[in-house]
Amino acid sequence: MVAASRHGAGFAEVLLEEHPASRTVCAAGCADSRVRTTHADAAGGVQLVGANGEKRRLLSWAIRNGDGAALRLTETPCAGARGSRSHALRIVFPRELLPIAAIVETDPHAAAREGIGAGVRVVVADVAGDVHVVRAPHPAELEATPGRRAEPSLASVRAADVATVVDPPSLAPLEGIASVCAVGAKMVAFGGGGGRIALLDALSDNLRPVAELKPATLARLWNVVSLGGAARFAGARAIRAVAQVPSPRRRSSDPSPPRLLLAALRADCHVQLWDVTHPAKPVSLVATQLPTPSGGGGGGGYESGGGGGSSPGGFGSASQSAPDSPGSPFAGGAGERAAHCMSCGEGYLAVSTYGVDASASSSAFPRPRDGKISVYALDVKVGAEGSSSASLAFHSPVVGGDGVTVALAVSGESIWALQEASGRDGYGETRYGVAGERALKGWPFESLNRAHPCETLGDAAAELGAWAGRGASDAAAAGAAAAL
């Protein structure tokens, strides 16, 4: 299970024996039952929540293919959290869930600043289009309450804490839900099958719409021209991944608030970066095909600005690489590649792509049979009066990253990939996607062109220990964790 928090991403080992048996809660209108999911694989993620330092907790979620209508939540205290207990919760819904979820954390400091209530909310959606929100108290609130400091946040969750918004009208233009992520302390972003994104208020009772993000006018025109008015393959315009990008570092004298940046990656390898600090007036900073070494303008780089004088999303620049240019993910007909997953860190964006003809199906959540990982340099600058600009350039391929990548995590000075283990079939051919077999790989950013140094959880734990030994800031930068 893998996910990125707002403060970066990393991996951590969680001993399963530390978790008690799951406590089952049934949402309103359903009984305890097990439904086998039609999706090819289970899904899961984890986020680091709570107060800074030793009092943080790992909150993980999972949707298993043998129990597809249930959301499993586990809360695990980080090492050093004295007296804290772990807790496991299984929440049953009326219908099969989509294999995606988002954890929206509103800590007490953000709550006081925004004038909202603190808490943790887990947002999921089902196959009928209904969105469910599981509400839990924030760990920092419990730790500040005498007699509840060791109480898990999930321990108080009951059926009344599970809210359902039936077929939200704001999600209708999306043409189906394809991805989701938390944005800041109170919003959630849903990526759609048609290339649009809906920003919703996760704290409101009805998931109030905040904004709708869609490609700029010139970007849509570019798609019509380059794709011949139709998608090159099924689901090409689906938002395969949405992720919050860390805010650029500011000077201590800078009075402007941290920027809320959202990256969206379509299946056709089109990436767009939004500044949603003021969600009622979102600004598109970058909108381009993933740059390539052979693309035009600065080694495949592409720049745009949020201020006046630039075209919407930056399209029309001479540095824009056409989808059919040499080295493009689209180049070569049978060699077309599609984006599968993405992770954003400070200054970098990592993407896994796969051959379109290697996809197991045209499902809304495809399971590829091969894959390659590439890293892009993402430079975001904040100018006067809070204006933003950004540039995206190809940085490096990841040597040894071939295979089926389930998830990526950019963390501190490293990139991590959770992949399906490979093996040989009876004819000596390499096969990927062996059910139940996973491998963890890691690369320092300065060694992306060399074979991966970390292949096991033991290697990963040693690397995380080395990070922690170099200072508390490095340990904090590790951010979220992943449990295998």
Side-chain angles (χ1 to χ4, degrees), residues 14 27 37 42 88 96 147 166 178 219 227 242 253 265 313 328 352 391 413 419 470 479:
V14 178
T37 178
E96 176 188 343
V166 178
L227 299 182
V242 281
S253 58
L265 178 66
S328 165
S352 173
S391 63
E413 301 173 355
Q419 295 186 331
R470 290 196 292 267

Side-chain angles (χ1 to χ4, degrees), residues 253-280:
S253 58
D254 187 355
S256 63
R259 313 308 293 176
L260 271 182
L261 305 174
L262 182 67
L265 178 66
R266 289 193 330 207
D268 61 5
C269 296
H270 178 278
V271 64
Q272 189 155 8
L273 178 66
W274 297 88
D275 186 336
V276 293
T277 307
H278 304 290

Side-chain angles (χ1 to χ4, degrees), residues 134-421:
V134 181
R135 304 186 182 98
H138 195 274
E141 291 182 300
L142 299 176
E143 290 159 2
T145 305
R148 301 188 69 185
R149 292 175 179 173
E151 181 182 324
S153 297
L154 298 180
S156 62
V157 174
R158 300 292 185 269
D161 299 309
V162 181
T164 298
V165 180
V166 178
D167 195 14
S170 55
L171 298 184
L174 299 188
E175 302 177 35
I177 299 172
S179 54
V180 66
C181 81
V183 182
K186 59 181 182 180
M187 293 188 295
V188 61
F190 283 95
R196 298 189 180 193
I197 300 170
L199 274 180
L200 308 181
D201 183 351
L203 276 60
S204 63
D205 293 336
N206 61 347
L207 294 177
R208 179 181 61 85
V210 177
E212 181 182 337
L213 309 180
K214 51 189 175 182
T217 303
L218 291 181
R220 295 197 295 271
L221 178 60
W222 179 276
N223 287 337
V224 172
V225 173
S226 63
L227 299 182
R232 296 281 292 267
F233 55 90
R237 295 193 179 98
I239 302 293
R240 192 58 62 211
V242 281
Q244 186 171 336
V245 177
S247 176
R249 295 187 180 184
R250 300 170 298 151
R251 296 178 180 178
S252 57
S253 58
D254 187 355
S256 63
R259 313 308 293 176
L260 271 182
L261 305 174
L262 182 67
L265 178 66
R266 289 193 330 207
D268 61 5
C269 296
H270 178 278
V271 64
Q272 189 155 8
L273 178 66
W274 297 88
D275 186 336
V276 293
T277 307
H278 304 290
K281 296 180 179 180
V283 178
S284 176
L285 303 181
V286 169
T288 182
Q289 293 299 125
L290 286 174
T292 60
S294 58
Y302 170 75
E303 297 185 357
S304 70
S310 64
S311 59
F315 272 80
S317 167
S319 65
Q320 170 65 35
S321 176
D324 288 319
S325 63
S328 165
F330 277 155
E336 282 187 297
R337 302 197 65 78
H340 180 54
C341 59
M342 170 184 70
S343 178
C344 301
E346 187 173 346
Y348 293 99
L349 183 149
V351 175
S352 173
T353 61
Y354 64 93
V356 172
D357 55 353
S359 176
S361 68
S362 59
S363 165
F365 301 95
R367 186 181 186 183
R369 294 173 180 163
D370 73 357
K372 297 180 182 295
I373 303 173
S374 300
V375 175
Y376 303 84
L378 179 60
D379 184 19
V380 182
K381 294 182 174 64
V382 178
E385 300 180 356
S387 61
S388 301
S389 63
S391 63
L392 182 68
F394 183 86
H395 178 70
S396 174
V398 178
V399 175
D402 292 1
V404 180
T405 300
V406 179
L408 291 168
V410 176
S411 175
E413 301 173 355
S414 299
I415 176 176
W416 299 87
L418 182 63
Q419 295 186 331
E420 298 283 3

